[in-house]
Amino acid sequence: MNWKNIPSLHALRAFEAAARKKSFTAAANELNVTEAAVRQHVRGLEQWFGKDLAERSGKGLSLTEDGQLLASTTSDSFQTLAHGVNNLMRKEEDRPVTITLPPAFAEIWLMPKLERFWKEHPEIEVNLTPSLSLADPRKDTFDLAIRYGLGDWPGLEATPIASAEYVVVAKPGLVEIATRGDLNDLKTYAWLFETTRQEHRDWAERHGLNFDAQANRHYPTNSMVIAAARAGHGLSLQSRALIQTDLELELLEELYAEDNAPLGYYLVAHSKLSTKARVFADWALRGSNHQ
């Protein structure tokens, strides 16, 4: 399509409204512009076509034969455009809310809360995509992402959803009382790590703990790490948000805590969310205060 052969869409929109309302004033009110602006657009179209389109009578108007032809064409075209836009918006609103997030966070933090969400919003379907990759909601087919980090991702809205305070935990009774709270004493025990968890490897190196020591055990997922810790296989470094329930049920006990704010889990989104995605985001952020 050669847009040079088509007059200004703003002018066509102003003419369509004036022709439909048969009034410059009513068209101006509908478009939230001045009456002078509408009149100017119509005059501009007449100059572009080299034809009279409307006959002015006070604040009202009547269309010439050419004006009636253009009015019919613009009305049909704008209705078709509006229909297409509305269909696309309905399609967007009808599809599930898609969320990408770390597997352990999905299983341990979010899944137990989803039943409460569906009781409040049974009409909203939610699709979870557990992944360790750093998805970008602006480019990928996700509405929302939950990320671990500092919350400083340019161009994205990032809101804290769960603390990442590090806690060293183990099965109750595994560690002697005398060594609890002293990280140096805890280094003598076997540790359990997720194989690809870079932030835990970095933490171990900062604290003089050999991540790859022969006594330590490594698992492909954090859920397996937590299961091994519950079974008494060793010590585990976890974000408090992921093991808070285990601590409350006394399946694990806290041996050492270290606050690494502002590190945490963040709900990440682009600026324009569907209505359903916004509902879920608001619910998740409220729920994060009731862990």
Side-chain angles (χ1 to χ4, degrees):
M1 177 182 292
N2 187 349
W3 288 97
K4 294 180 180 179
N5 296 330
I6 299 176
S8 162
L9 291 180
H10 290 295
L12 290 171
R13 184 170 175 238
F15 173 78
E16 188 278 333
R20 176 165 37 83
K21 296 286 188 178
K22 300 191 184 312
S23 165
F24 291 118
T25 302
N29 290 336
E30 179 180 298
L31 300 176
N32 196 29
V33 298
T34 65
E35 181 179 334
V38 175
R39 289 180 179 272
Q40 183 177 356
H41 278 311
V42 174
R43 283 196 300 271
L45 283 178
E46 290 179 325
Q47 292 173 1
W48 196 92
F49 285 109
K51 300 176 182 292
D52 290 336
L53 301 175
E55 298 174 350
R56 298 153 186 82
S57 176
K59 291 188 177 181
L61 62 85
S62 59
L63 301 178
T64 65
E65 184 177 346
D66 291 323
Q68 290 175 355
L69 177 60
L70 181 60
S72 175
T73 301
T74 54
S75 178
D76 290 344
S77 299
F78 282 119
Q79 285 183 17
T80 300
L81 178 60
H83 183 69
V85 170
N86 290 335
N87 282 345
L88 181 59
M89 291 180 65
R90 280 196 297 270
K91 181 180 178 182
E92 284 295 297
E93 289 298 330
D94 288 343
R95 70 176 178 82
V97 176
T98 55
I99 306 165
T100 178
L101 68 174
F105 193 89
E107 179 179 346
I108 299 168
W109 191 93
L110 184 57
M111 287 298 292
K113 300 176 176 13
L114 272 182
E115 184 178 359
R116 188 169 73 248
F117 173 76
W118 280 320
K119 285 182 179 179
E120 297 177 18
H121 303 282
E123 76 286 359
I124 299 180
E125 184 179 354
V126 177
N127 282 352
L128 302 181
T129 304
S131 174
L132 293 174
S133 63
L134 198 63
D136 188 339
R138 295 169 301 181
K139 302 175 182 178
D140 300 317
T141 56
F142 300 108
D143 295 299
L144 300 166
I146 294 176
R147 289 180 174 180
Y148 175 89
L150 297 172
D152 54 350
W153 297 287
L156 294 172
E157 297 179 0
T159 308
I161 193 172
S163 167
E165 176 191 4
Y166 281 155
V167 183
V168 177
V169 296
K171 181 179 180 180
L174 180 68
V175 173
E176 297 177 5
I177 295 177
T179 63
R180 296 176 191 176
D182 188 330
L183 188 58
N184 286 324
D185 288 339
L186 295 176
K187 292 177 184 178
T188 62
Y189 288 84
W191 285 70
L192 314 172
F193 292 112
E194 183 180 0
T195 307
T196 58
R197 199 67 173 272
Q198 184 60 44
E199 61 265 31
H200 285 185
R201 178 183 289 274
D202 294 342
W203 182 91
E205 291 179 358
R206 287 198 308 272
H207 292 81
L209 184 67
N210 185 357
F211 186 90
D212 297 310
Q214 187 173 0
N216 297 338
R217 299 177 180 178
H218 300 81
Y219 301 87
T221 69
N222 195 53
S223 298
M224 294 180 68
V225 172
I226 294 175
R230 291 176 188 144
H233 295 171
L235 279 57
S236 175
L237 176 69
Q238 294 290 333
S239 298
R240 182 177 293 278
L242 300 185
I243 45 81
Q244 186 60 44
T245 300
D246 285 77
L247 295 175
E248 293 171 356
L249 295 176
E250 298 184 352
L251 298 175
L252 295 170
E253 68 175 348
E254 179 179 325
L255 306 175
Y256 175 85
E258 181 177 274
D259 185 5
N260 16 294
L263 273 173
Y265 290 95
Y266 289 80
L267 184 67
V268 181
H270 47 70
S271 58
K272 188 174 183 180
L273 288 177
S274 68
T275 301
K276 290 182 178 180
R278 178 59 63 188
V279 168
F280 183 89
D282 291 344
W283 170 86
L285 293 174
R286 290 197 309 272
S288 67
N289 296 321
H290 304 286
Q291 297 176 31

